[in-house]
Amino acid sequence: MRHQEEVQGMVIFSKNYREKDKLVKIFTETYGKKMFFVKGANRKNNPLTPALQPFTKSLYIADIKEEGLSFLNGVKEIKMFDEIQKDIFISAYATYILNLVDVAIEDGTYDPALYGFTLEAITLLNQKIDPEIITNIFEVQLLERFGISINWKRCCVCGETHGKFDYSFANHGILCEKHWHLDERRSHFDAVGMHFIRLFSQISYKQINEITLKKETKDMIRFILDEIYSEYVGIFLKSKKFIDDMKSWENVLKKDDSSSKD
């Protein structure tokens, strides 16, 4: 079955198909992720071209097919996340977030809550809010889409919600300090890092302006999340590796840029 309608969506990626055409994967609000065929996308002055760029949200006019490729025929509204598009550091995190969405749910899965959550994250990145914190919150709360349900709020033994906590892979949950002895191979994750991951599991993006973290704390959070994702999710994205590699030259470039402005 095929019909034409207006759909709001964000571009996940696009690639050339033949000489003049493109295949574009879009995360839509109403149909989940869909792959669209765009005829003549590479032709000069094609009005659809701006709406096919990475980090773009649009209201598309589309022929939707339940199976196989759908088709884009027009566009009515285009919102470019221009700050992301022109900043390699911010775009790295935005790419990673969109890649996570692409692997977390199947194509065609209706998930308006995830669409809204992703749009919030991308919007905040475009506003230059701390990309590491935005990404960490996204990673923690996306775990459920991978079928990983972790109660970060309370100890899995006694239900304690205050104090120091560590993660137990054996118990698939957090342990309060009183019960660390129950798992000799507990993770020994940093208590401060655990505190913020527990916070990130429940916080909304509307609250993140209240959070400022030291580099050491961010590194602790990054380590914990990498361990969690490695154990439970087992995905290895090129965009994540790029972010990891970027850490080695990011500060050098930013320092050089700052010096040139002086």
Side-chain angles (χ1 to χ4, degrees):
M1 184 176 69
R2 184 172 164 184
H3 61 281
Q4 183 165 290
E5 62 182 277
E6 296 179 355
V7 293
Q8 184 184 118
M10 291 175 283
V11 174
I12 295 180
F13 69 82
S14 66
K15 58 183 179 181
N16 291 331
Y17 182 73
R18 298 174 183 156
E19 184 179 353
K20 301 290 186 181
D21 310 324
K22 275 186 181 292
L23 293 176
V24 185
K25 179 168 274 192
I26 297 175
F27 187 18
T28 73
E29 185 176 24
T30 48
Y31 291 99
K33 297 183 291 120
K34 300 285 289 184
M35 186 69 81
F36 292 88
F37 176 80
V38 188
K39 186 174 181 58
N42 292 324
R43 294 183 185 276
K44 191 174 182 180
N45 299 324
N46 187 316
L48 270 172
T49 299
L52 307 179
Q53 303 305 310
F55 318 123
T56 302
K57 178 177 77 74
S58 301
L59 183 63
Y60 299 96
I61 301 170
D63 286 334
I64 302 294
K65 292 185 65 177
E66 292 181 1
E67 297 183 2
L69 295 175
S70 296
F71 299 85
L72 292 183
N73 298 323
V75 61
K76 294 181 68 174
E77 300 171 4
I78 303 175
K79 162 65 177 176
M80 292 186 177
F81 297 103
D82 51 349
E83 293 297 332
I84 297 176
Q85 290 176 343
K86 66 187 182 184
D87 190 310
I88 187 174
F89 303 110
I90 303 176
S91 68
Y93 289 96
T95 299
Y96 176 51
I97 283 175
L98 293 174
N99 287 170
L100 281 174
V101 169
D102 198 19
V103 297
I105 59 173
E106 296 290 334
D107 287 2
T109 300
Y110 175 65
D111 197 336
L114 180 56
Y115 177 85
F117 186 51
T118 305
L119 181 57
E120 279 189 289
I122 297 300
T123 300
L124 288 172
L125 287 176
N126 196 59
Q127 294 172 2
K128 295 190 172 183
I129 307 299
D130 193 315
E132 290 175 275
I133 293 177
I134 292 170
T135 302
N136 292 157
I137 293 172
F138 196 87
E139 289 172 299
V140 174
Q141 297 191 23
L142 190 68
L143 283 169
E144 289 189 5
R145 295 305 194 286
F146 289 106
I148 311 302
S149 181
I150 298 173
N151 186 341
W152 294 102
K153 190 173 183 179
R154 52 178 54 88
C155 174
C156 62
V157 175
C158 67
E160 179 63 70
T161 59
H162 296 88
K164 294 182 178 180
F165 292 85
D166 195 7
Y167 192 80
S168 169
F169 285 106
N171 292 279
H172 304 291
I174 61 173
L175 293 173
C176 68
E177 193 171 11
K178 292 180 293 185
H179 292 104
W180 284 354
H181 68 281
L182 296 179
D183 184 1
E184 294 180 355
R185 297 185 177 180
R186 64 184 175 86
S187 300
H188 294 276
F189 288 151
D190 178 81
V192 175
M194 282 293 297
H195 166 76
F196 280 103
I197 286 181
R198 293 178 64 226
L199 177 64
F200 290 172
S201 72
Q202 304 170 64
I203 198 172
S204 73
Y205 276 131
K206 295 176 182 177
Q207 299 170 280
I208 66 170
N209 284 331
E210 305 168 11
I211 302 175
T212 302
L213 299 179
K214 297 178 181 178
K215 179 184 180 303
E216 293 78 7
T217 302
K218 290 183 178 181
D219 290 343
M220 295 168 188
I221 293 169
R222 181 72 270 154
F223 176 78
I224 295 171
L225 284 174
D226 283 348
E227 291 292 302
I228 295 291
Y229 264 74
S230 177
E231 177 69 21
Y232 289 127
V233 182
I235 57 173
F236 303 95
L237 300 174
K238 290 182 179 179
S239 52
K240 173 60 168 59
K241 185 178 185 304
F242 182 82
I243 289 174
D244 293 340
D245 294 342
M246 183 175 69
K247 293 291 185 180
S248 64
W249 47 264
E250 177 181 14
N251 291 332
V252 175
L253 286 183
K254 288 185 175 180
K255 184 177 180 180
D256 290 343
D257 183 59
S258 176
S259 298
S260 65
K261 291 179 180 178
D262 293 341

